[in-house]
Amino acid sequence: MRIRRLPTVVVALAAAASLVACGGQRDPSGSGTAAGGRLTIATGNTTGVYYQLGGALASVISQKMSGYRATASETGASVQNIQGLVGGNYDIAFSLGDTAADAVKGENSFQSKQDVVALTRLYNNYTQVAVRTSANINSIADLKGKRVSTGSPNSGTEVIARRLLEAAGLDAAKDVTAQRLGLPESVDAMKSGSIDALVWSGGLPTGGITDLTTSLGKGVKLLPITDLLPKMTEKYGSVYSAAPIPAATYKQPADVATIVVPNVLLVRKDMKDELAEQLTKTLYENLDALIAVNAAAKGITKEDATKTDPVPLHPGAQKALDALK
C-alpha cells in the first residue's frame, strides 16, 4: 500500500504501535537480522517521542516488510542505544546527533570509535528545561545549589544537560544535586516537589512535558537557554542550533528560545545493503503513520534526510534516499 492510501490505515497502525512497543531487548544469541526476520528497535523513555515513534516504526515494518517482524524496546536512550546496537542487542537505534557524532569519533561517552552508520536524519530534538516557578530559577546558572534531574543514565539528555551546566560555568558533580532520572520519574518528582528542575531533550510535543505543564500550570515554566549556544558550538561544533518552542506547544505565555539538535536513526555498518535500503524506503513511504502517533515526525523530511554528518550514511540508505529525490 502506497503512502497516498495510508490515511485509511493510520489509526490501525497507531493502535498497533502501542502493542509492538512493549517488546524487550533482543537476545544476543538470537537470530536478529541474520535469520527469521526479527528486528529490535532501541527507543527511549515511555513518555518520550522516541518510544512513540519507535512503536509506530515497528508496526510499519511488521506490516509492510514481508518476512520481517519488528519490536520496539524502552531504553535510557542515545548512549545506551548505541552501546546496545554495537553489542548486538538491537538492530536499529534512535539517537541524538551529538551523541552519535561522539560515537563515530570515539569521544566523550565512548572509549573508541563505534561501527554505526545512519539510515536517515530524523526530526530535531528541543532542549526543554522545566523549573518550578517557586524555585527562583531564571537561567541555567541559577541551577547552582538546586535539585536537578539531568536525565536517564547514559541518555542523550544527560549529555546535553551536563554540557549546558558546563557552558554556564557549573560542575554537574559539585554545583547541583543531580538526579539521574528518566522522564516519567522526573515529572513525578517535579509534581511532588522533590526536585526543582528537569532537563529533557525531545521532540515537540513530548507527552511527559505536556503532563507536567498541564498538571502544575503556572507552577512550572520553561527556561530560555540560547545565551549558552555560542559556548556549546565553540566546544562541540555546529550540531547545535537555536529554535523556539512555540508557546502553543505547552500553553506557555510566549515562545521559549532553546537549543536544538537533530536526531538520527542508526544501524550497524554490517547491516546488508538491501535491508538498509528497504528499511529507509519503508519509513518514508509510511511517514504518515509516524506523524499520526506524534507530530514531531513532521520534522522528518526528504530534503534533510542525508544531513547526518559526521555520521556516515549506510550505502543502502543512501541508495533509497537518492531514489526519493
Side-chain angles (χ1 to χ4, degrees):
M1 188 176 293
R2 294 186 177 275
I3 193 167
R4 64 175 178 271
R5 294 176 59 195
L6 189 57
T8 63
V9 297
V10 159
V11 173
L13 283 170
S18 64
L19 298 176
V20 178
C22 62
Q25 288 189 17
R26 178 168 62 86
D27 183 345
S29 64
S31 56
T33 60
R38 295 169 51 221
L39 297 168
T40 305
I41 305 170
T43 62
N45 296 161
T46 55
T47 54
V49 179
Y50 281 1
Y51 186 76
Q52 293 177 325
L53 295 187
L57 179 59
S59 292
V60 165
I61 291 169
S62 298
Q63 296 186 36
K64 301 295 182 179
M65 287 178 56
S66 179
Y68 285 95
R69 176 169 176 78
T71 56
S73 281
E74 176 192 359
T75 70
S78 299
V79 177
Q80 181 185 334
N81 288 359
I82 293 172
Q83 291 170 339
L85 181 64
V86 173
N89 293 325
Y90 309 115
D91 303 296
I92 305 166
F94 285 77
S95 175
L96 280 169
D98 56 349
T99 304
D102 285 349
V104 299
K105 294 176 182 177
E107 298 177 349
N108 297 308
S109 300
F110 303 93
Q111 299 297 314
S112 60
K113 294 180 180 180
Q114 305 296 298
D115 287 333
V116 297
V117 291
L119 293 182
T120 185
R121 175 172 170 152
L122 299 170
Y123 59 94
N124 283 336
N125 256 23
Y126 288 70
T127 309
Q128 301 163 61
V129 183
V131 302
R132 296 181 64 84
T133 53
S134 60
N136 195 30
I137 301 169
N138 297 300
S139 68
I140 296 295
D142 289 340
L143 293 177
K144 186 172 184 178
K146 305 295 186 180
R147 302 163 298 173
V148 183
S149 173
T150 54
S152 301
N154 295 324
S155 66
T157 291
E158 185 174 54
V159 171
I160 288 183
R162 289 179 177 277
R163 290 179 180 181
L164 285 173
L165 292 168
E166 175 189 53
L170 301 180
D171 184 334
K174 299 177 181 178
D175 294 325
V176 302
T177 302
Q179 304 292 316
R180 304 173 75 192
L181 305 174
L183 183 59
E185 296 78 17
S186 297
V187 170
D188 287 344
M190 285 283 284
K191 289 179 181 179
S192 69
S194 59
I195 61 172
D196 305 299
L198 69 81
V199 180
W200 169 250
S201 180
L204 299 180
T206 291
I209 304 299
T210 300
D211 176 19
L212 179 64
T213 54
T214 300
S215 298
L216 294 187
K218 293 182 180 179
V220 66
K221 65 180 181 180
L222 300 178
L223 289 186
I225 59 172
T226 48
D227 59 308
L228 300 177
L229 182 58
K231 288 187 177 180
M232 296 276 283
T233 55
E234 179 182 358
K235 183 164 184 179
Y236 299 108
S238 59
V239 68
Y240 297 112
S241 59
I245 300 174
T249 305
Y250 300 118
K251 297 181 180 179
Q252 296 296 292
D255 292 355
V256 179
T258 194
I259 293 172
V260 299
V261 60
N263 291 289
V264 289
L265 194 63
L266 302 175
V267 296
R268 290 185 298 278
K269 282 184 179 180
D270 63 1
M271 175 176 279
K272 292 182 178 179
D273 288 3
E274 295 82 0
L275 178 55
E277 179 182 0
Q278 190 177 4
L279 285 168
T280 307
K281 183 173 181 285
T282 299
L283 185 154
Y284 279 95
E285 286 184 342
N286 297 279
L287 193 54
D288 280 1
L290 274 66
I291 293 171
V293 171
N294 193 289
K298 291 180 180 179
I300 305 173
T301 66
K302 297 175 185 178
E303 292 75 20
D304 290 336
T306 60
K307 297 177 182 177
T308 61
D309 189 64
V311 182
L313 276 171
H314 190 292
Q318 182 73 67
K319 183 177 179 180
L321 294 173
D322 287 344
L324 291 173
K325 294 179 180 178

